Amino acid sequence: MSKTLGIGILGCGNISAAYMRLAPLFRGIEVRACADLNEAAAKSRAEEFNLRAETVDGLLAADDIDIIVNLTIPAAHFEVSRNILNAGKHVYSEKPFVLSVEEGQALASIAEEKGLRVGSAPDTFLGGAHQLARYLVDTSAVGQVTSGTCFVQSPGMEMWHPNPDFFFQPGGGPILDLGPYYISNLVQLLGPVKRVTAMSSSGSEYRTITSQPRHGEKIKVETPTTIHAIMQFDSGAQVTYCASWDVWQHGHSNMELYGREGTLHVPDPNFFGGEVRLTEKSSFVNICENWDHPFSKANDGINANYRAAGLADMAQAILAGRPHRCSLEFSLHVVDVMTSILASGETGEYKDILTTCERPEALGPQAAKDLLSQSET
């Protein structure tokens, strides 16, 4: 690939270090600058990763920046992404990239008018484990998938995150914060969702921070923290999805898909790797396919961590003139599903999903290798 696109990071909080650290794994992108409303935070990150610190306006105007990664808080995603597009740059946003279908459609209109791309995390569904699950679904290893279950439950974020307030504000909660991983993976495996129904609640009115440096402070809970939902897919499959920050311990698997010929156990979609298990009828079988996927390999301690894969895929898609996998259409459908689950939890009514999307193109082993820099292949 003859051209490299310049990347700017807008928002230098907790997650920015992962993008800056892992982006060099991929070809076609180079992180060159960063900015934050807190200019000291931008300067600190720039020094840590040998980047150029910019003001927000300076980053939007920088000639050597082609794509800006929006790492601001969810409530600011729409406004910041709109400003990026209006500055004539592509935008790749952390999840969820907007908080309503209307916001997503507004960004789509601007992007189409200006000939720009919008992409969004999560990209964990591009991981080797989830792409193996995709291959097994596509080759009918368990037959037609008729139903499934997903569970993502924990005590919450206030025990480890230094500033956990936004998790409990509108735009946060276990659906909008964790749902993108699970629902994105389900849509890439099974296709679009047709309708949803849900019940929701909050386990407590306030949460007490037990992490540093704000140990002992209380946070008001302004969004549901326990949601039980059922998603009906266009394919006919029905999947139960339980997400909670009010659970100390549980024994449920992260994701299971039940087919007419067997069961597929899918690892945590919050990560790129993990063990995929398969049954024929009720008996576990070995998965004998030669699946040497680069995004299955541990590169971050014991974990496979390839954050920025979706960003690299978008950059290479721009250069090649092809669709990118973490697309606006795909991400907007996931937002539609999540916000419809929350609305159903409030009203108790079924909610039809008004958007749709194509499943992203599968990312097999060779396609994944093509995203990596020469030094990683």
Side-chain angles (χ1 to χ4, degrees), residues 46-290:
E47 291 175 352
E48 182 180 0
F49 290 96
N50 195 28
L51 306 174
R52 184 175 79 248
E54 291 274 10
T55 65
V56 173
D57 287 342
L59 188 66
L60 292 174
D63 291 337
D64 65 338
I65 300 299
D66 303 290
I67 303 173
I68 294 182
V69 181
N70 181 357
L71 301 184
T72 59
I73 62 171
H77 281 176
F78 169 68
E79 181 180 358
V80 170
S81 291
R82 182 178 59 186
N83 291 342
I84 293 168
L85 291 172
N86 283 329
K89 302 189 187 301
H90 308 285
V91 59
Y92 185 89
S93 176
E94 253 304 321
K95 47 79 188 169
F97 82 111
V98 289
L99 298 182
S100 71
V101 171
E102 292 75 18
E103 289 180 346
Q105 290 171 334
L107 293 184
S109 295
I110 299 170
E112 182 177 7
E113 177 187 346
K114 294 182 174 292
L116 296 169
R117 301 280 189 111
V118 176
S120 175
D123 55 7
T124 46
F125 71 88
L126 300 176
H130 307 297
Q131 289 301 305
L132 174 57
R134 167 72 175 265
Y135 171 78
L136 294 171
V137 169
D138 288 352
T139 56
S140 299
V142 295
Q144 181 181 348
V145 176
T146 60
S147 62
T149 58
C150 293
F151 289 90
V152 53
Q153 302 181 126
S154 74
M157 308 296 194
E158 66 273 29
M159 300 171 189
W160 62 269
H161 199 283
N163 292 293
D165 309 65
F166 72 91
F167 289 114
F168 302 98
Q169 297 168 354
I175 288 293
L176 289 173
D177 182 65
L178 296 174
Y181 298 105
Y182 284 75
I183 297 171
S184 293
N185 204 30
L186 286 171
V187 172
Q188 77 104 7
L189 291 170
L190 302 178
V193 178
K194 183 177 182 180
R195 68 173 179 165
V196 301
T197 185
M199 299 178 67
S200 63
S201 64
S202 294
S204 58
E205 186 178 358
Y206 290 91
R207 312 286 289 228
T208 302
I209 299 174
T210 56
S211 62
Q212 296 296 337
R214 298 171 58 197
H215 188 280
E217 288 187 33
K218 291 187 178 297
I219 306 169
K220 183 172 176 58
V221 177
E222 301 179 75
T223 190
T225 50
T226 293
I227 301 93
H228 289 187
I230 300 174
M231 294 173 281
Q232 181 182 27
F233 289 75
D234 283 354
S235 67
Q238 298 175 5
V239 176
T240 299
Y241 177 48
C242 300
S244 179
W245 287 337
D246 299 313
V247 174
W248 285 102
Q249 194 277 338
H250 70 91
H252 297 290
S253 300
N254 291 111
M255 182 178 290
E256 298 178 1
L257 299 179
Y258 310 127
R260 290 179 176 174
E261 305 299 328
T263 293
L264 184 62
H265 294 258
V266 182
D268 189 347
N270 197 16
F271 299 96
F272 287 82
E275 183 185 12
V276 179
R277 297 186 295 155
L278 176 71
T279 75
E280 289 179 1
K281 304 298 185 182
S282 60
S283 299
F284 280 99
V285 297
N286 290 326
I287 301 173
C288 298
E289 296 292 337
N290 181 18

